[in-house]
């Protein structure tokens, strides 16, 4: 995982992600912190659903086995909330990083109430309203991918527009999955540029439009993976489409950004920020 | 966000998520920690891309405005890595929770190297190999959703099977997006149960199959949202299909789990755990 692709000359360090639930919080956090140490190749193993003393003992044995192979002691990122379970892991030969312990204790003092210390609470329950909103948004984004379904666009929170393969689909799905945002997407194609106008189906929803663009050489690379050596993938065609699309978006006052070097996380956060949906996160 | 849906009788507490990048790490972490305090309704605002002293001063002003409205001081979850930027926020009237500071400092001692303290490193760059693997997996999962495309199944890391609307599609997309796992999915339908055999297209990939099931009453609810009062959505039909599917999966020795009360995060983590893909995370 983190920096796995680096060369063998790097120092290697084993990492365990230990959680009473999925481990996604601990994994996200460890990834962010460890990315600050570029000289070390971290090899991570996830140990999720450690929600009993028996499972903690099994996890501790696995960490001990790793330590017994020699080398520096493993790093353990823990989001365990039950102190008894956490202590079993802490006793193993490792550098124990207690993500919850210190913050929860601090917050108990600040907030003047005790934490429930109940396990597996970080993720919304599969039957909660908030969770259902996310699933509904995923279904909406799938149904309204690539302009395939125009009915229901009035329910969209945002409609992404841009040339084919500029990143609309993965961004729409990420917005839906992570933030329960109903994100449709609709392609801008050469016929639109010839007419010099937005697709007619989008005109009633002009305020919901957000544009994505991309550098022509990167677009050509992406399109060549799908249709090698086609006119569609040629640098000339990509340059023309991108220039036309950016001109149309400027003319229509559609906010837009370039996806070229950005991840779907970054693109999505910028969109939420710009269209004022930043309170909608689950 | 966290516990926003709770009633007005709860104590309210403003929360700011401050990051030099997307804020997703800080948001995930704050969500997990704050879910331990059920008696308080947290109102979160994300302040992403705070990567200069000027932006930090603007963020600090916003936090100060909130504090000036009275009530308890806002909580600030920060993943700012630049100490100068972090100090600007820390000086505002707030409870400053420095997610990186303490752990990065501790790890510098443990690892014997200095952290790079470069901003926005938590997410894979939009041009990296790891990132491209995720996008490729998303495209694969979309193309192989609901058995619509059989070519290329040999490239799948896992093929989810189960009755219609049991959760295969969102789980496949989550596995692809979060873990770069090429997750196809294929429906089990009454014709398969009549034959008492898996769909022929799946037979070469038996080892890649993982089943999802669901309680019949929950399935009936989900199907009724899509096709109200249909035979397809009837409790009788759902009971029959679920019983038949579970019998087939047992007969064919396909590992499976119930999605009824689980989130896609939990389902995905369990699948990775069971099929031994737990090292594939990005």
């Amino acid at each position: 995982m983190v920096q796995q692709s680096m060369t063998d000359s790097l120092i290697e360090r084993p990492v365990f992600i230990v959680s009473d639930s999925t481990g996604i919080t601990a994994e996200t956090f460890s990834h962010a912190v460890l990315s600050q140490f570029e000289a070390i190749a971290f090899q991570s193993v996830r140990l999720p659903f450690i929600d009993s003393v028996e499972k903690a003992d099994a996890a501790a044995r696995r960490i001990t086995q790793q330590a017994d192979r020699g080398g520096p002691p493993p790093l353990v990122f823990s989001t365990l909330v039950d102190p008894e379970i956490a202590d079993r892991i802490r006793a193993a030969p490792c550098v124990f990083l207690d993500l919850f312990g210190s913050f929860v204790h601090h917050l108990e003092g600040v907030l003047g109430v005790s934490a429930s210390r109940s396990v597996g609470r970080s993720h919304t329950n599969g039957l909660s309203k908030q969770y259902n909103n996310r699933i509904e948004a995923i279904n909406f984004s799938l149904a309204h991918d690539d302009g395939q379904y125009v009915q229901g666009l009035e329910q969209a929170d945002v409609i992404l527009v841009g040339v084919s393969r500029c990143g609309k689909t993965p961004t729409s799905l990420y917005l839906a999955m992570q933030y329960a945002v109903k994100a449709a997407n609709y392609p801008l194609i050469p016929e639109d540029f010839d007419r010099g106008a937005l697709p007619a189906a989008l005109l009633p929803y002009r305020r919901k439009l957000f544009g994505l663009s991309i550098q022509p050489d990167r677009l050509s690379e992406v399109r060549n993976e799908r249709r090698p050596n086609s006119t569609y993938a040629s640098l000339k065609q990509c340059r023309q489409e991108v220039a036309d699309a950016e001109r149309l978006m400027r003319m229509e006052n559609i906010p837009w950004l370039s996806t070229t070097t950005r991840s779907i996380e970054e693109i999505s956060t910028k969109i939420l920020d710009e269209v004022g949906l930043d309170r909608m996160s689950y």
Side-chain angles (χ1 to χ4, degrees), chain A residues 165 214 217-230 232-234 238:
Chain A
R165 311 305 295 166
I214 185 169
D217 51 347
R218 177 63 187 145
L219 180 62
S220 175
E221 265 179 41
V222 173
R223 287 184 172 186
N224 262 307
E225 281 166 28
R226 178 154 289 209
R227 292 200 220 154
N229 304 314
S230 59
Y232 165 81
S234 69
C238 291

Side-chain angles (χ1 to χ4, degrees), chain A residues 27-89:
Chain A
E27 187 163 30
T28 306
F29 189 82
S30 71
H31 183 88
V33 169
L34 296 179
S35 67
Q36 296 290 323
F37 297 94
E38 291 159 52
I40 301 174
F42 298 100
Q43 301 287 345
S44 287
V45 174
R46 245 179 312 130
L47 301 176
F49 306 114
I50 306 299
D51 53 9
S52 69
V53 169
E54 291 71 31
K55 289 184 191 167
D57 287 340
R61 279 194 296 277
R62 193 155 165 195
I63 294 165
T64 304
Q65 279 165 11
Q66 175 65 49
D68 287 349
R69 281 178 210 152
L75 306 182
V76 175
F77 286 85
S78 159
T79 49
L80 296 168
V81 292
D82 182 321
E84 194 186 348
I85 293 176
D87 285 346
R88 299 295 179 118
I89 307 292

Side-chain angles (χ1 to χ4, degrees), chain A residues 238-271:
Chain A
C238 291
R239 276 196 183 124
Q240 187 67 50
E241 285 189 36
V242 168
D244 287 346
E246 293 185 358
R247 188 178 311 115
L248 183 59
M249 294 190 289
R250 269 193 302 267
M251 196 175 80
E252 297 282 346
N253 272 316
I254 298 169
W256 61 276
L257 59 79
S258 169
T259 65
T260 311
T261 60
R262 292 191 171 103
S263 66
I264 46 177
E265 284 84 354
E266 290 170 314
I267 301 165
S268 299
T269 311
K270 289 221 180 260
I271 293 171

